[in-house]
C-alpha cells in the first residue's frame, strides 16, 4: 500500500536539530541511514529501543513524484472481481476465521464484515497505489470514498475522490469530523521515512494517527493495519511495531477488536522481516478531557432543567 507521508509538518519540532537534517528534509531524494546524524537516528529508533535493518528504496521517482491512473471501466472490473472474492470467502467464512494462513486481504475483508457497517457511510482511505480497498468499500455499501495520498492519483469513478496531502492540509478546517469510517492498510508504517518523497519525520506515523482523529466523526470507526512484531525500523522500507511503538501509536484510541491477533508474535523478532504479520485493529477515538467536561456540563444543565424547570 502507498503511504501518504507527512500529514502534519510540525516544523517547530525540528528547530533543535542540525542544518544537515534541514537539508535532508528539503531534498527530493530520500537519504540513506548513514546520512543521518546520530541524534536524528535516535529519534527514529525512539532512543535505540528499536532495532535497525537496512533496505533502502526510492519510490519517489527520483524526487519527481508518481501519478497512478485507473479509468472507470477498470475500477468497475475491480469491483466485479472483489464481489467474486467476497462471495468465495463468505462460503468458507467459518473455516477462514480460524485459518492462520489466510491472506492479508482476506483478514481485512472478514474484519470489515464482522465489525464495520459500511452501508451508506462516507469513507476516507489513507495511502493508495491502486483502488482495491476503495472498490471493496464501495462493494460493501459505502456511499463515497475519499482517498488521501502523498502523490497524484486519478481514480475515475463518481463515488471516489482523490486528494493530495497538501490539498487536505490547505482545506483541513472544512474537513473536520467529515467521515464515518477511516482505513489505513499497511500505510502509516512508512510515514516520515522519505521512501515516497514524503518529508522526513520521526513521528510521522503518530502525527498521521492524530490527523485521522481530525477527519473522523467522533463516533467513527478506524480500521488500521501495520506490521507487528519486535520494535524495528527497516530504513527506509517500513517500521515494525513492538511493545514500545505500538503502545504509543494507539494512544488516544479505544481498541474494539484486534482481529487475527497472535500474542506469540508480539515483541518477537521475525526470521524474515519482509514477511510481515499485520492484524486488523478496529478502533474508535477516545474522548478528550475537554469533550468529557463539555458533556458533563451539558448533562448537568439537562438535569437542572428536569429538576427545577426551565433555567432563565
Amino acid at each position: 500500500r502507498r503511504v501518504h507521508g507527512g500529514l502534519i509538518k510540525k516544523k517547530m519540532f525540528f528547530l533543535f536539530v542540525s542544518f544537515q537534517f534541514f537539508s535532508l528534509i528539503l531534498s527530493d531524494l530520500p537519504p540513506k541511514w548513514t546520512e543521518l546524524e546520530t541524534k536524528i537516528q535516535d529519534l527514529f529508533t525512539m532512543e535505540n529501543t528499536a532495532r535497525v535493518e537496512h533496505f533502502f528504496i526510492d519510490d519517489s521517482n527520483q524526487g519527481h513524484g508518481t501519478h497512478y491512473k485507473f479509468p472507470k471501466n477498470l475500477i468497475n472490473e475491480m469491483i466485479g472481481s472483489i464481489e467474486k472474492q467476497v462471495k468465495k470467502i463468505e462460503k468458507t467464512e467459518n473455516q477462514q476465521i480460524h485459518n492462520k494462513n489466510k491472506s492479508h486481504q482476506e483478514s481485512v475483508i472478514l474484519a470489515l464484515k464482522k465489525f464495520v457497517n459500511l452501508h451508506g457511510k462516507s469513507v476516507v482511505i489513507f495511502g493508495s497505489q491502486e483502488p482495491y480497498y476503495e472498490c471493496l468499500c464501495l462493494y460493501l455499501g459505502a456511499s463515497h470514498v475519499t482517498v488521501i495520498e502523498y502523490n497524484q492519483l486519478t481514480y475515475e469513478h463518481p463515488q471516489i475522490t482523490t486528494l493530495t496531502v497538501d490539498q487536505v492540509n490547505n482545506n483541513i478546517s472544512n474537513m473536520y469530523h467529515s467521515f464515518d469510517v477511516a482505513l489505513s492498510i499497511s500505510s502509516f508504517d512508512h510515514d516520515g521515512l522519505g521512501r515516497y518523497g514524503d518529508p522526513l519525520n520521526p513521528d510521522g506515523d503518530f502525527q498521521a494517527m492524530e490527523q485521522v482523529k481530525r477527519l473522523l466523526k467522533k463516533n467513527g470507526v478506524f480500521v488500521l493495519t501495520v506490521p507487528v512484531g519486535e520494535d524495528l525500523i527497516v530504513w527506509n522500507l517500513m517500521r515494525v511495531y513492538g511493545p514500545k511503538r505500538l503502545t504509543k501509536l494507539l494512544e488516544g484510541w479505544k481498541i474494539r477488536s484486534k482481529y487475527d491477533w497472535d500474542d506469540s508474535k508480539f515483541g518477537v523478532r521475525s526470521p524474515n522481516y519482509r514477511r510481515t504479520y499485520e492484524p486488523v485493529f478496529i478502533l474508535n477515538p477516545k474522548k478528550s478531557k475537554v469533550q468529557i467536561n463539555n458533556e458533563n456540563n451539558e448533562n448537568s444543565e439537562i438535569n437542572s432543567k428536569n429538576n427545577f424547570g426551565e433555567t432563565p
Side-chain angles (χ1 to χ4, degrees):
R1 291 293 286 176
R2 176 69 183 168
V3 66
H4 59 89
L7 279 174
I8 307 171
K9 301 175 184 176
K10 290 189 176 177
K11 295 180 181 178
M12 294 298 293
F13 176 78
F14 296 111
L15 285 179
F16 68 96
V17 303
S18 69
F19 176 78
Q20 179 199 22
F21 192 41
F22 280 110
S23 299
L24 289 171
I25 290 175
L26 298 174
S27 172
D28 289 332
L29 297 176
K32 295 183 179 180
W33 183 253
T34 53
E35 295 176 319
L36 299 176
E37 290 185 351
T38 301
K39 58 186 175 183
I40 306 306
Q41 294 176 351
D42 289 345
L43 292 174
F44 278 102
T45 61
M46 298 180 73
E47 303 299 330
N48 292 313
T49 58
R51 192 169 64 84
V52 179
E53 289 278 1
H54 304 275
F55 193 103
F56 184 80
I57 185 169
D58 175 19
D59 278 328
S60 71
N61 190 24
Q62 296 185 328
H64 299 296
T66 57
H67 190 167
Y68 294 96
K69 300 181 180 181
F70 284 79
K72 183 178 179 180
N73 66 312
L74 184 55
I75 291 177
N76 286 333
E77 288 179 12
M78 290 182 70
I79 294 174
S81 297
I82 286 170
E83 179 181 8
K84 294 176 183 177
Q85 182 185 15
V86 171
K87 287 183 176 178
K88 182 178 179 181
I89 292 172
E90 286 174 342
K91 289 181 179 179
T92 59
E93 187 168 347
N94 291 333
Q95 296 95 317
Q96 286 283 7
I97 290 173
H98 304 290
N99 177 14
K100 293 186 177 181
N101 295 317
K102 58 179 171 288
S103 72
H104 187 229
Q105 285 184 353
E106 290 170 337
S107 293
V108 173
I109 290 171
L110 288 168
L112 285 173
K113 284 177 58 60
K114 184 173 183 178
F115 297 105
V116 185
N117 175 17
L118 285 170
H119 187 73
K121 301 297 174 61
S122 59
V123 177
V124 59
I125 293 179
F126 295 84
S128 182
Q129 278 184 315
E130 62 175 4
Y132 174 84
Y133 289 103
E134 293 83 344
C135 292
L136 174 62
C137 289
L138 291 179
Y139 171 71
L140 294 176
S143 61
H144 196 90
V145 178
T146 299
V147 190
I148 301 174
E149 165 58 38
Y150 186 71
N151 287 297
Q152 294 289 328
L153 296 173
T154 300
Y155 293 168
E156 296 176 350
H157 193 280
Q159 290 174 272
I160 301 177
T161 298
T162 59
L163 298 172
T164 65
V165 173
D166 286 339
Q167 287 174 323
V168 173
N169 286 336
N170 291 335
N171 194 39
I172 188 66
S173 61
N174 295 320
M175 298 180 67
Y176 283 135
H177 308 306
S178 298
F179 301 97
D180 300 299
V181 179
L183 276 74
S184 173
I185 308 299
S186 308
S187 177
F188 285 176
D189 52 294
H190 305 287
D191 254 293
L193 302 185
R195 171 180 168 181
Y196 296 103
D198 48 307
L200 287 187
N201 187 342
D203 290 344
D205 50 347
F206 302 146
Q207 293 176 10
M209 295 289 282
E210 290 301 310
Q211 186 75 314
V212 178
K213 285 184 185 176
R214 293 180 178 90
L215 299 181
L216 195 63
K217 291 180 180 179
K218 294 178 181 179
N219 60 345
V221 179
F222 180 30
V223 181
L224 170 73
T225 78
V226 291
V228 169
E230 65 171 327
D231 281 299
L232 172 69
I233 183 167
V234 184
W235 190 268
N236 63 345
L237 182 66
M238 63 180 181
R239 299 181 183 89
V240 178
Y241 292 79
K244 182 84 172 182
R245 198 167 192 96
L246 185 62
T247 300
K248 186 168 178 61
L249 187 75
L250 298 179
E251 281 181 0
W253 293 91
K254 179 181 179 181
I255 302 173
R256 281 179 52 194
S257 175
K258 297 186 291 186
Y259 190 79
D260 273 349
W261 179 263
D262 186 344
D263 273 327
S264 69
K265 295 181 179 180
F266 185 49
V268 176
R269 181 172 178 171
S270 169
N272 182 0
Y273 60 76
R274 296 294 305 277
R275 299 185 64 181
T276 60
Y277 157 63
E278 299 191 36
V280 185
F281 295 94
I282 309 296
L283 309 171
N284 297 113
K286 285 183 179 178
K287 295 179 181 178
S288 67
K289 291 182 179 179
V290 173
Q291 288 174 320
I292 292 172
N293 288 337
N294 288 340
E295 288 181 3
N296 288 339
N297 290 336
E298 289 175 3
N299 289 334
S300 295
E301 288 183 12
I302 291 171
N303 290 334
S304 176
K305 290 179 182 180
N306 288 339
N307 292 331
F308 303 106
E310 291 292 330
T311 56

